[in-house]
Amino acid sequence: MSYFKSIFGPSRDEIWSALRAQIGAEVVPGGFWRGDRLQAHAGEWTVTLDEYTTMFMSGKVPIIIHHTRMRAPFSNPGGFRFSIHRASMFSYVGTLLGMQDIQVGHAEFDAEFVIKGNNEKLVQSLCSSDRLRALVSAQPKFQLSIHDDEGWFGKKYPPEVDVLVFDVAEHIRDVERLKGLYDVFAETLHQLSKLGIAGQEKHGVTT
């Protein structure tokens, strides 16, 4: 077993078990169409970690992509939208949603990340948190945004409930990195609440 671990690294179950101990999470069993999920509370909100796989065809060759995803639904009656991602990745995200590029007034952070939103002052206020900027900057791959729902085949949320989403095309097998992502979610939701944007999840909504 130790030989295979040295080649392939720790398993998902080992990483999740270590993360559970750090953040007080629990495993929610999946089913035939849905894998297991790890859920934890961050203040009033439920944060869900899971993995999924997508596939597309390159000519006649199937390309399989593994994803790690973290989500947290919250009440967002004002319809605030923002996205933060590293400048080298997916720079078009948000353009079709009418969101503008925003400089938040911290030169190093502005250089590292593309920040978009539909309310410049609120985005700047959100990114004024030293802790949030530090947590985001510590992530090697990063793309965080607010979604209305999860697309054609994903979960639909009640009116005025949106979801904070992180999604990266890899299986993350680093407990400290996952703990850092959880901390990003907790701090983002805390800051959104302080700004009067985010209310607690409604109607028992989870992901």
Side-chain angles (χ1 to χ4, degrees), residues 32-206:
F32 183 77
W33 293 107
R34 190 175 189 181
D36 294 348
R37 310 181 305 283
L38 197 67
Q39 288 189 335
H41 292 287
E44 302 172 329
W45 300 277
T46 300
V47 179
T48 299
L49 168 69
D50 66 357
E51 296 179 346
Y52 68 100
T53 300
T54 58
M55 184 181 75
F56 68 93
M57 300 298 295
S58 178
K60 296 183 179 180
V61 179
I63 305 297
I64 297 174
I65 302 176
H66 301 291
H67 296 257
T68 297
R69 176 174 57 180
M70 195 171 282
R71 296 164 290 161
F74 66 97
S75 176
N76 185 23
F80 176 63
R81 291 287 184 271
F82 83 100
S83 71
I84 303 175
H85 54 92
R86 287 202 172 273
S88 60
M89 299 174 60
F90 310 115
S91 295
Y92 61 88
V93 171
T95 302
L96 298 179
L97 302 178
M99 297 197 296
Q100 59 178 321
D101 289 306
I102 296 172
Q103 299 291 301
V104 300
H106 297 271
E108 187 173 345
F109 194 77
D110 284 327
E112 287 186 40
F113 295 93
V114 174
I115 304 124
K116 296 177 182 285
N118 61 358
N119 186 312
E120 182 175 3
K121 290 184 178 180
L122 287 178
V123 171
Q124 291 171 339
S125 296
L126 174 65
C127 294
S128 69
S129 165
D130 293 339
R131 174 170 167 77
L132 180 59
R133 294 196 315 277
L135 289 168
V136 169
S137 296
Q139 290 294 319
K141 295 182 181 179
F142 194 78
Q143 183 180 344
L144 183 72
S145 57
I146 294 175
H147 294 196
D148 182 47
D149 56 42
E150 296 177 21
W152 288 102
F153 302 104
K155 185 164 184 173
K156 305 295 182 182
Y157 294 97
E160 297 188 353
V161 174
D162 293 323
V163 58
L164 189 67
V165 178
F166 167 88
D167 195 326
V168 66
E170 65 173 297
H171 280 169
I172 298 177
R173 296 291 184 261
D174 180 337
V175 66
E176 293 307 317
R177 186 175 166 194
L178 290 173
K179 172 60 165 56
L181 283 172
Y182 168 80
D183 290 341
V184 167
F185 269 67
E187 182 65 18
T188 300
L189 291 164
H190 173 65
Q191 293 299 327
L192 290 174
S193 180
K194 282 179 60 177
L195 292 170
I197 297 168
Q200 66 181 16
E201 60 188 50
K202 286 186 174 182
H203 314 299
V205 173
T206 56

